[in-house]
C-alpha cells in the first residue's frame, strides 16, 4: 500500500525465506520471524521482535539518522551518508561473521552501548566524533581479521586466539586500545595509528606485536594479575610515550629502552634488564608504598636536571638534589642503577644486599668526572624476620653510605636511618662533595676472622659426664625471652637489644659474652654475644660453632687479643696470653677448659672432673652474684673477687623459680644446692 511516499511492510507471524530483499520503505516492523539466507537492504527504520537474524543485513538510509536494532547479526553493514545510531545502553550489537562500515556513514553510540564482533571487522567510518566513548569489542572464538581506514573511539581485543591487521590497516584509535586477551598482530605494513592523547591499556594475557604509528603522544597502562614483558605498545620514538602506569602484579620487564615524557606510576617491580627507563620530565615517579617490592630494578635516567629540586630515582627513598648550579659541575642528566638483594662486587662482607651505581652526564652526553656536590638519599629493605630483608644482619644505626674509590670503600657520616616497619624499609641520606660512582651500604674496608672457643660452667656441669652440662633453662622455656639490657654481662655489649632476639639455638645452657682486649690491662675493644652449649662449645646467636668477628664488631685486621669469658653468675676468666686473630690461613682454637690458657691457671678455675683417662676438666666457678655493689669487681677481671655475702642471693631467693641470678646451677629454681656453690667458692 502506498500513501504519501510512505512504505510500510508489516510481517505478522510470517516465515520469510529471503535471498535478496530491497526494503526501500521507511519503516520495517517485524512481529514474526525473518529467516534470511541472502541480503536485506534496509533504507528506512526497522524493528525486530526476534533476537537474531542471519544472512547479510545492510542499513543504508541516507541523509538522516537511522536507528539500528541492537541484536545478533550474522553479517551487518552500515552504508550510505548519514548517522547510524545505537541508542540503547542495555543492549549489545553482535556481528558473528562480519561487521562493515563505509566511508560515508558515521556511528553514534550512547554510553555503555557496545558493538561486539566475532569475525572480521572492516571499519571505515567514524564513531562518536565529539565523545571519548563508543566501544567496539573483538571477542570471537577463533582468530579475527581487522581492516579498514575508519576511526575507533574504544577498540578492545578480548579473544585468546588474537586478531590480525589486514590489507595494510590504516584505521585510527581516537581514545583507547584495550588489550584484554590475545595477541593484536600488526606489523610495519599492516598497521594502525594511535591519535594524540590516546591510551593503550594492556592486560596480562594480551599483547601488541608491533609499534603503532603515533599521531602525537599517547599513554600506556599495564594491569592484571601476573608478570608482563613490554611489547609493541612501547614506542621507539623518545617523544611519544606521555604517561606510563604500571598496575599489574608480579613484575614488568622492559624489553627495550622506555622514555616517559610526562609521568609514571609504579605499582610493581620493574626490571630494566640491559635497557634504561628514561624519565624525561620534572615530575617524580609515584610508587605504591603498600608493596615493599615496588622498585625499578636496573637503570633509571633523569634528564633536564635543575638545582634545588629532589629527583626521585629507583624507589621512593633514593634521590639526588643539587644545592645550586655551581655544585652540579655541568650535570644535565644522571643515571641511577640499583640491584636489590645483591651484595657489592668489592669487599662484600658486612654490607647490605644492595648495589648502587650513579653516573652524571653533561648536555653533550659526556660523563661527568669533575667534583660535584649533591644530597643523596638511599634506602634498603629492612625486615629481619622476612625473606626480602637486605640488612644482612647489620643493625640499621651502624649502616653507612660507602663509595668505592678504586681499592677501598670510603665511608660517609650518614644521618641515622629511619626504620619504617609498616613498609619494611629503612632509609637515610648524605651530603656528597666528591663525585658519582659505585656505592654500597655497610661498614668500610670490611674484614673478619673466625675461631672456636670452649668452656664449662661449674653450676650446670653434670657429674662424671665426661664433659657435659645440663640444659634445664632451655627445657623449662626460660631462654625464650632475652634478658633485659641492664643485666650483666649483656649490659656490657653496646648494641645489645633484647627485642632483636626471638629464638634460641638447640642444646643451649645459657647466654655468655666474649670480651676482646688488645692488652690484658686495657679496656675491651669490643664484645661478642653468644651462647654456651651443653658440650662446652660457645656458639653465635644463629647456632654456628665457628665464631666470626668483623670490622663491624670492632676487630682490627691481623690483631692479637686477650679473650675474657663472662657469664652472669660464674666468675669470669681471661686468657693468659693474647691470641693472634687473622683472616688468612687458619682458625684459632681458644680452649678455656685448659688452665694453661687462663690467667691464674687452675687457681682461677674449678676442677669439675678427673676422667678415666686422667684428663682434668676445669670450668668457671659458680656462685658469684653480680649486683650494683659487685659489678665493678666482676668487670675488673684481674682483681680477685672476694665478696663475702654473695651466698645471700641464693639464701634470700630460696625456692623461687625463673631466670634468676642466684640460680647458680642454672636449673630454673633456687635450692640449697645454689647456696652451697656460693658458700664453697667464697674468698677463692
Amino acid at each position: 500500500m502506498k500513501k504519501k511516499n510512505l512504505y510500510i511492510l508489516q510481517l505478522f507471524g510470517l516465515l520469510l525465506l529471503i535471498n535478496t530483499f530491497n526494503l526501500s520503505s521507511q519503516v520495517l516492523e517485524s512481529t514474526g520471524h525473518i529467516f534470511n539466507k541472502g541480503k536485506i537492504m534496509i533504507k528506512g527504520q526497522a524493528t525486530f521482535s526476534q533476537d537474531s537474524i542471519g544472512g547479510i543485513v545492510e542499513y543504508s538510509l541516507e541523509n538522516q539518522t537511522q536507528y539500528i536494532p541492537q541484536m545478533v547479526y550474522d553479517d551487518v553493514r552500515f552504508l550510505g551518508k548519514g548517522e547510524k545510531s545505537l541508542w540503547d545502553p542495555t543492549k549489545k550489537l553482535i556481528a558473528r561473521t562480519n561487521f562493515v562500515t563505509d566511508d560515508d556513514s558515521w556511528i553514534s553510540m550512547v554510553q555503555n552501548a557496545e558493538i561486539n564482533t566475532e569475525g572480521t571487522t572492516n571499519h571505515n567510518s567514524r564513531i562518536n566524533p565529539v565523545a571519548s566513548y563508543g566501544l567496539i569489542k573483538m571477542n570471537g572464538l577463533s582468530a579475527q581479521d581487522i581492516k579498514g581506514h575508519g576511526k575507533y573511539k574504544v577498540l578492545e581485543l578480548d579473544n585468546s586466539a588474537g586478531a590480525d591487521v589486514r590489507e595494510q590497516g590504516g584505521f585510527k584509535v581516537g581514545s583507547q586500545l584495550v588489550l584484554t586477551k590475545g595477541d593484536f598482530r600488526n606489523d610495519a605494513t599492516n598497521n594502525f595509528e594511535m591519535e594524540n592523547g590516546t591510551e593503550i591499556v594492556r592486560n596480562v594475557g594480551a599483547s601488541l606485536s608491533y609499534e603503532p604509528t603515533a599521531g602525537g603522544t599517547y599513554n600506556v597502562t599495564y594491569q592484571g594479575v601476573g608478570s608482563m614483558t613490554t611489547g609493541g605498545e612501547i614506542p621507539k620514538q623518545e617523544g611519544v610515550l606521555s604517561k606510563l602506569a604500571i598496575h599489574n602484579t608480579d613484575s614488568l620487564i622492559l624489553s627495550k629502552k622506555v622514555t616517559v615524557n610526562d609521568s609514571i606510576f609504579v605499582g610493581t617491580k620493574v626490571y630494566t634488564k640491559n635497557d634504561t627507563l628514561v624519565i624525561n620530565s620534572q615530575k617524580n615517579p609515584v610508587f605504591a608504598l603498600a608493596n615493599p617490592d615496588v622498585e625499578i630494578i636496573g637503570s633509571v635516567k633523569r634528564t633536564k636536571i635543575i638545582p634545588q629540586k629532589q629527583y626521585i630515582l629507583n624507589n621512593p627513598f633514593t634521590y639526588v638534589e643539587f644545592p645550586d648550579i655551581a655544585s652540579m659541575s655541568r650535570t644535565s642528566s644522571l643515571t641511577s642503577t640499583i640491584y636489590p638483594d645483591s651484595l657489592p662486587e668489592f669487599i662484600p662482607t658486612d654490607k647490605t644486599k644492595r648495589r648502587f651505581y650513579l653516573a652524571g652526564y653533561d648536555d653533550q652526553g659526556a660523563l661527568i668526572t669533575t667534583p660535584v656536590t649533591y644530597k643523596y638519599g638511599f634506602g634498603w629493605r629492612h625486615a629481619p624476620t622476612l625473606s626480602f630483608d637486605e640488612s644482612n644482619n647489620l643493625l640499621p644505626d651502624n649502616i653507612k653510605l660507602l663509595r668505592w674509590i678504586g681499592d677501598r670503600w670510603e665511608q660517609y657520616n650518614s644521618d641515622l636511618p629511619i626504620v619504617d616497619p609498616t613498609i619494611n624499609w629503612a632509609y637515610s641520606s648524605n651530603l656528597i662533595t666528591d663525585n658519582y660512582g659505585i656505592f654500597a651500604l655497610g661498614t668500610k674496608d670490611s674484614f673478619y676472622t673466625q675461631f672456636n672457643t670452649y668452656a664449662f660452667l661449674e653450676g650446670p656441669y653434670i657429674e662424671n659426664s665426661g664433659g657435659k652440662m645440663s640444659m634445664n633453662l632451655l627445657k623449662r622455656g626460660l631462654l625464650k625471652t632475652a634478658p633485659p639490657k641492664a643485666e650483666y654481662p649483656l649490659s656490657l655489649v653496646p648494641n645489645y637489644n633484647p627485642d632483636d632476639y626471638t629464638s634460641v639455638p638447640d642444646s643451649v645452657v645459657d647466654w655468655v659474652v666474649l670480651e676482646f682486649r688488645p692488652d690484658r690491662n686495657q679496656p675491651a675493644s669490643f664484645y661478642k654475644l653468644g651462647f654456651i652449649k651443653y658440650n662446652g662449645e660457645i656458639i653465635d646467636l644463629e647456632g654456628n660453632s665457628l665464631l666470626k668477628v668483623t670490622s663491624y664488631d670492632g676487630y682490627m685486621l691481623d690483631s692479637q687479643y686477650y679473650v675474657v669469658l663472662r657469664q652472669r653468675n660464674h666468675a669470669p676468666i681471661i686468657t693468659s696470653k693474647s691470641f693472634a686473630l687473622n683472616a688468612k690461613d687458619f682458625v684459632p682454637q681458644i680452649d678455656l677448659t685448659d688452665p694453661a690458657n687462663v690467667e691464674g691457671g687452675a687457681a682461677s678455675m674449678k676442677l669439675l672432673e678427673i676422667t678415666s683417662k686422667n684428663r682434668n676438666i676445669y670450668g668457671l666457678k659458680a656462685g658469684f652474684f653480680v649486683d650494683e655493689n659487685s659489678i665493678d669487681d666482676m668487670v675488673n677481671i684481674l682483681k680477685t673477687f672476694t665478696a663475702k655475702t654473695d651466698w645471700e642471693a641464693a639464701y634470700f631467693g630460696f625456692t623461687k623459680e625463673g631466670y634468676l641470678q642466684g640460680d647458680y646451677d642454672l636449673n630454673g629454681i633456687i635450692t640449697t644446692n645454689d647456696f652451697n656453690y656460693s658458700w664453697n667458692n667464697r674468698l677463692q
Side-chain angles (χ1 to χ4, degrees), residues 59-121:
Y59 291 94
S60 54
L61 177 63
E62 297 202 13
N63 300 318
Q64 55 184 294
T65 300
Q66 188 170 26
Y67 295 95
I68 308 298
Q70 292 161 238
M71 57 189 290
V72 179
Y73 298 89
D74 182 42
D75 183 325
V76 63
R77 305 178 182 189
F78 297 166
L79 309 175
K81 296 179 180 179
E83 174 187 357
K84 311 300 176 186
S85 176
L86 277 67
W87 51 271
D88 189 342
T90 67
K91 294 182 179 180
K92 299 176 182 178
L93 186 153
I94 300 173
R96 285 182 172 157
T97 63
N98 207 20
F99 175 74
V100 179
T101 67
D102 69 4
D103 297 28
D104 294 329
S105 64
W106 65 275
I107 304 170
S108 66
M109 300 172 65
V110 295
Q111 200 158 10
N112 298 321
E114 287 186 26
I115 296 173
N116 291 178
T117 69
E118 298 176 358
T120 298
T121 303

Side-chain angles (χ1 to χ4, degrees), residues 160 168 240 246 272 334-335 337 407 480 550 594 609 669:
S160 58
Q168 300 185 12
V240 172
I246 305 167
T272 68
L334 54 87
T335 298
T337 303
D407 60 353
K480 286 184 178 179
T550 71
D594 184 352
E609 182 180 352
I669 183 171

Side-chain angles (χ1 to χ4, degrees), residues 518-576:
D519 185 274
R520 63 193 295 274
N521 296 307
Q522 290 183 357
S525 291
F526 62 93
Y527 298 87
K528 191 72 178 179
L529 195 57
F531 296 101
I532 187 167
K533 289 179 65 176
Y534 78 100
N535 61 357
E537 267 190 314
I538 294 176
I539 60 175
D540 68 15
L541 301 176
E542 284 73 44
N544 301 308
S545 58
L546 198 60
L547 288 171
K548 176 177 165 182
V549 291
T550 71
S551 55
Y552 165 72
D553 295 310
Y555 163 64
M556 300 297 293
L557 188 64
D558 296 335
S559 297
Q560 297 205 159
Y561 294 94
Y562 289 83
V563 180
V564 178
L565 176 62
R566 298 184 182 276
Q567 191 270 343
R568 61 195 173 98
N569 54 21
H570 283 64
I573 56 175
I574 185 171
T575 58
S576 58

Side-chain angles (χ1 to χ4, degrees), residues 322-543:
F322 298 92
D324 50 46
I325 287 286
S327 66
M328 298 173 66
S329 189
R330 299 177 293 105
T331 299
S332 175
S333 63
L334 54 87
T335 298
S336 169
T337 303
I338 293 181
Y339 296 111
D341 201 27
S342 299
L343 289 168
E345 296 176 86
F346 311 108
I347 314 181
T349 308
D350 290 336
K351 306 291 188 299
T352 64
K353 297 177 182 178
R354 179 161 284 254
R355 296 185 188 181
F356 297 78
Y357 307 88
L358 195 61
Y361 305 90
D362 64 20
D363 55 8
Q364 301 300 312
L367 188 68
I368 301 293
T369 57
T370 51
V372 287
T373 298
Y374 56 97
K375 186 177 183 181
Y376 188 32
F378 51 88
W380 68 97
R381 290 181 182 83
H382 179 75
T385 61
L386 301 177
S387 61
F388 55 76
D389 175 65
E390 297 172 340
S391 299
N392 201 19
N393 297 318
L394 301 177
L395 297 177
D397 288 0
N398 294 299
I399 293 176
K400 304 295 183 182
L401 180 67
L402 312 169
R403 189 172 73 89
W404 185 252
I405 56 173
D407 60 353
R408 67 187 187 280
W409 290 106
E410 179 182 42
Q411 180 173 300
Y412 298 101
N413 293 320
S414 309
D415 297 336
L416 284 177
I418 296 172
V419 178
D420 190 338
T422 64
I423 57 175
N424 294 309
W425 277 80
Y427 52 93
S428 186
S429 62
N430 234 107
L431 183 65
I432 296 176
T433 57
D434 37 43
N435 216 317
Y436 306 112
I438 300 171
F439 293 89
L441 297 172
T443 58
K444 71 174 184 176
D445 295 343
S446 181
F447 40 80
Y448 66 94
T449 188
Q450 294 174 307
F451 58 93
N452 296 113
T453 309
Y454 305 90
F456 287 110
L457 304 176
E458 177 190 5
Y461 191 82
I462 301 172
E463 187 176 356
N464 300 319
S465 65
K468 291 182 176 59
M469 294 178 286
S470 65
M471 299 176 289
N472 290 317
L473 295 178
L474 182 67
K475 291 176 181 178
R476 294 179 64 138
L478 296 173
L479 297 180
K480 286 184 178 179
T481 302
K485 187 174 178 61
E487 187 160 323
Y488 170 88
L490 285 74
S491 58
L492 302 175
V493 183
N495 294 322
Y496 170 64
N497 181 355
D499 295 334
D500 291 339
Y501 308 105
T502 57
S503 63
V504 177
D506 294 334
S507 307
V508 162
V509 175
D510 200 4
W511 295 75
V512 292
V513 169
L514 290 170
E515 177 182 326
F516 296 83
R517 296 184 176 190
D519 185 274
R520 63 193 295 274
N521 296 307
Q522 290 183 357
S525 291
F526 62 93
Y527 298 87
K528 191 72 178 179
L529 195 57
F531 296 101
I532 187 167
K533 289 179 65 176
Y534 78 100
N535 61 357
E537 267 190 314
I538 294 176
I539 60 175
D540 68 15
L541 301 176
E542 284 73 44

Side-chain angles (χ1 to χ4, degrees), residues 18-36:
I18 300 175
N19 289 320
T20 302
F21 203 89
N22 187 345
L23 294 176
S24 58
S25 60
Q26 291 184 351
V27 178
L28 168 63
E29 297 179 4
S30 168
T31 57
H33 189 90
I34 299 176
F35 186 79
N36 179 27

